[in-house]
Amino acid sequence: MPYEQLKLSTEKPVLSWAGHPLASQEIQMAKNVSSLPFVFKHVALMPDVHLGRGALVGSVVATKDAVIPAAVGVDIGCGMAAVKTPFHAKQLDGKLKKIRKDIEAAIPVGFNQNKIADRDASNWQGWQDFKNLHSGVSDLKGKAMRQLGSLGGGNHFIELCLDSEEQVWMMLHSGSRNIGNVLAQCHISTAKDLAKMTQTYLPDPDLAYFVAGTPKFEAYWHDLQWAQNYARYNRDVMMVRFKRIVEKHLAGGKPTKPLLEVNCHHNYAEKEVHFGEEVYLTRKGAVRAQEEDYGIIPGSMGAKSFIVKGKGNLASYCSCSHGAGRKMSRTKAKKQFSLDDLLEQTQGVECRKDKGILDEIPGAYKSIDEVMNQQLDLVEIVATLKQVVCVKG
């Protein structure tokens, strides 16, 4: 579906692919961002847009000579990875529970971490630059090393899926763990302090920013890129472990060659060229969808997910949604749904069936089919996946 330009009294337009009217708080958040003087051309809202911190989750913001740490978010580099395997559904018969148990044993979830950093984690080249990160994380190197190869909590997950051809896929969702969170909080706090000190007017304190060319901007940009690289490598380490487990059960432990591999951020910022100008492009809950880019758009733990290829839509800054998007808060979901609801909505999925994941129940999320229908001009669907195993944080 084409976008709708919201009727807002702001200098920069807001283009929305949501396909429905935004709530009053969402409209105000969109206005706040689009009113900032350094915002470039327009703000783009993806089909899964919903409330966030400072900026809406599902928003794409191009800026000139400034960047907003809270708009990037605290899970820097959060994103998805997926691998298409040479295996088929029939090979999974009777093995799903064993695969889930092996995943849970090999990959720490929630607040857990590896007891010791393995070789893949210890040898990551990013450690060479750790000493140059914000002083607020100077004592976190050991923890960061042990958390490489761990999932985290919330909406992070590991799934074994089948596509419409009954081909087996591996998919996971995670970010930069505690180290990314602490780095983000340090810089968000610095930006807010700077705004107070300089008496800079902001429609929302969480829109405090750094100006390009200043030492504080350079420090944040350096740490941001480091955390994004950490997040991507974290997904790589988990996928290596995940692949070994699948090969153990389906190939007798023999290594196999992936048929397709995708690894993409959806909470991050990069320098990009749009409409002929270099900008700082922040995707807060959005995936890069330049022409021929592969991306991943997951549904909830009981719904379909999609491997997509970008169409390079310029109006969206070559972006697409990062998932279905929540339609209710975690607190509301826990109040509204019961364990029986969870059992019903996750039928056919080998996963935990307890109240500890009630806030992640499929009913708390928007319809992924509706979200996909709203972005036919942004991406084409390469594969439609349905999970058969799901491990939550």
Side-chain angles (χ1 to χ4, degrees), residues 187-379:
H187 288 289
I188 290 170
S189 178
T190 299
K192 287 182 176 181
D193 289 344
L194 183 63
K196 288 179 183 177
M197 186 175 65
T198 58
Q199 297 184 322
T200 301
Y201 167 75
L202 293 169
D204 181 337
D206 280 320
L207 294 178
Y209 57 89
F210 295 125
V211 176
T214 63
K216 287 182 172 58
F217 177 99
E218 297 302 328
Y220 173 65
W221 194 255
H222 169 271
D223 291 1
L224 178 72
Q225 301 305 310
W226 186 92
Q228 288 172 182
N229 290 335
Y230 177 97
R232 185 182 297 276
Y233 191 66
N234 182 41
R235 293 191 290 273
D236 286 339
V237 173
M238 283 188 286
M239 191 59 81
V240 167
R241 295 181 190 174
F242 189 9
K243 184 170 179 284
R244 286 176 187 150
I245 291 167
V246 173
E247 289 168 344
K248 167 189 167 183
H249 289 280
L250 305 186
K254 295 180 180 178
T256 58
K257 186 176 181 180
L259 303 181
L260 179 66
E261 296 178 277
V262 186
N263 193 333
C264 56
H265 295 320
H266 54 226
N267 281 356
Y268 72 113
E270 291 285 2
K271 284 183 181 179
E272 295 185 7
V273 175
H274 291 276
F275 299 98
E277 295 190 44
E278 186 175 75
V279 297
Y280 294 99
L281 204 286
T282 297
R283 292 186 175 93
K284 184 182 181 74
V287 178
R288 197 182 77 174
Q290 293 179 2
E291 196 168 345
E292 299 301 308
D293 270 349
Y294 281 100
I296 307 167
I297 305 177
S300 63
M301 62 185 291
K304 293 178 288 187
S305 296
F306 298 88
I307 307 298
V308 298
K309 189 179 286 188
K311 292 186 175 181
N313 187 308
L314 299 180
S316 72
Y317 296 110
C318 301
S319 307
C320 66
S321 83
H322 81 313
R326 296 191 72 92
K327 66 180 181 183
M328 66 178 68
S329 69
R330 296 184 183 278
T331 301
K332 185 176 180 180
K334 289 177 180 178
K335 290 180 179 178
Q336 181 164 326
F337 295 106
S338 66
L339 186 55
D340 287 340
D341 294 324
L342 179 67
L343 293 172
E344 180 183 350
Q345 294 182 31
T346 58
Q347 283 185 11
V349 182
E350 174 59 45
C351 64
R352 288 171 54 193
K353 310 277 186 177
D354 58 66
K355 291 185 178 180
I357 58 169
L358 202 54
D359 55 344
E360 281 294 300
I361 191 170
Y365 284 83
K366 298 176 183 177
S367 164
I368 188 62
D369 288 319
E370 292 178 10
V371 167
M372 295 306 297
N373 285 337
Q374 288 300 128
Q375 53 188 331
L376 299 177
D377 58 336
L378 305 183
V379 293

Side-chain angles (χ1 to χ4, degrees), residues 160-163 301-305 347 349 384-388:
L160 196 67
C161 306
L162 298 176
D163 65 19
M301 62 185 291
K304 293 178 288 187
S305 296
Q347 283 185 11
V349 182
T384 301
L385 312 182
K386 180 67 174 69
Q387 69 277 85
V388 290

Side-chain angles (χ1 to χ4, degrees), residues 75 77-81 156 172-175 231 235 263-267:
D75 194 357
C78 185
M80 300 281 305
H156 293 168
L172 58 83
H173 172 207
S174 190
R235 293 191 290 273
N263 193 333
C264 56
H265 295 320
H266 54 226
N267 281 356

